[in-house]
Amino acid sequence: MVVSIQRVTRLANVPSDQSLRKWVNTALMGVSAASASEVTLRIVNAAEGRNLNSAFRGKGYPTNILTFAYHEKKSPVLVGDLVVCAPVVAREAKHQHKTLADHYAHLCIHGILHLAGHDHENPRDAKRMEALEVKILAGLGVGNPYLGDDQHHD
């Protein structure tokens, strides 16, 4: 598995490349047996996050994570980009009383699950996706991010 990290923001406290790769690789191992998967994780500022969310989702605000898949559906080899908006993640972590590292871990896993074809558009799919997130996070020693949180991530 190849995980590339790109940093566009100068925001402090973004986890290390080593931590980011660990979270992405752990999620990839949880959803894909293909060692040929390739993911780029791009950490962006609010302006780039807003521009991408507007261009690809029609929403004029930055969101915590965007996932762009470049592989065929149902492919065991996952190829795509995850775009994480650092200021949004920092604000959410503070608001949700989570450590920044735990929130980044959760969003990396959340993004990989989207890359693997999971979504949370209906309650049944959301429950299934959240259960996978919680299981993968538990393996990393991170608690359930949904306890006391009834929000879903974009």
Side-chain angles (χ1 to χ4, degrees), residues 6-75:
Q6 299 175 352
R7 294 171 181 264
V8 180
T9 182
R10 293 187 179 136
L11 192 65
N13 299 326
V14 173
S16 69
D17 287 4
Q18 180 182 3
S19 292
L20 294 166
R21 276 191 185 90
K22 175 184 174 185
W23 300 326
V24 170
N25 280 323
T26 299
L28 283 169
M29 288 186 290
V31 297
S32 173
S35 61
S37 293
E38 295 182 36
V39 175
T40 297
L41 177 63
R42 183 172 173 89
I43 311 295
V44 302
N45 57 29
E48 185 171 341
R50 180 176 41 259
N51 290 341
L52 289 168
N53 203 26
S54 177
F56 292 97
R57 297 180 65 232
K59 300 186 188 266
Y61 56 86
T63 190
N64 51 19
I65 188 163
L66 294 166
T67 302
F68 299 94
Y70 308 122
H71 56 271
E72 297 292 325
K73 286 189 180 216
K74 305 292 184 184
S75 172

Side-chain angles (χ1 to χ4, degrees), residues 52-107:
L52 289 168
N53 203 26
S54 177
F56 292 97
R57 297 180 65 232
K59 300 186 188 266
Y61 56 86
T63 190
N64 51 19
I65 188 163
L66 294 166
T67 302
F68 299 94
Y70 308 122
H71 56 271
E72 297 292 325
K73 286 189 180 216
K74 305 292 184 184
S75 172
V77 177
L78 304 181
V79 180
D81 296 336
L82 304 180
V83 179
V84 177
C85 187
V88 172
V89 176
R91 183 176 63 245
E92 287 177 348
K94 183 177 182 181
H95 176 75
Q96 297 171 14
H97 308 289
K98 299 174 182 174
T99 70
L100 193 58
D102 285 357
H103 198 39
Y104 267 95
H106 177 211
L107 291 174

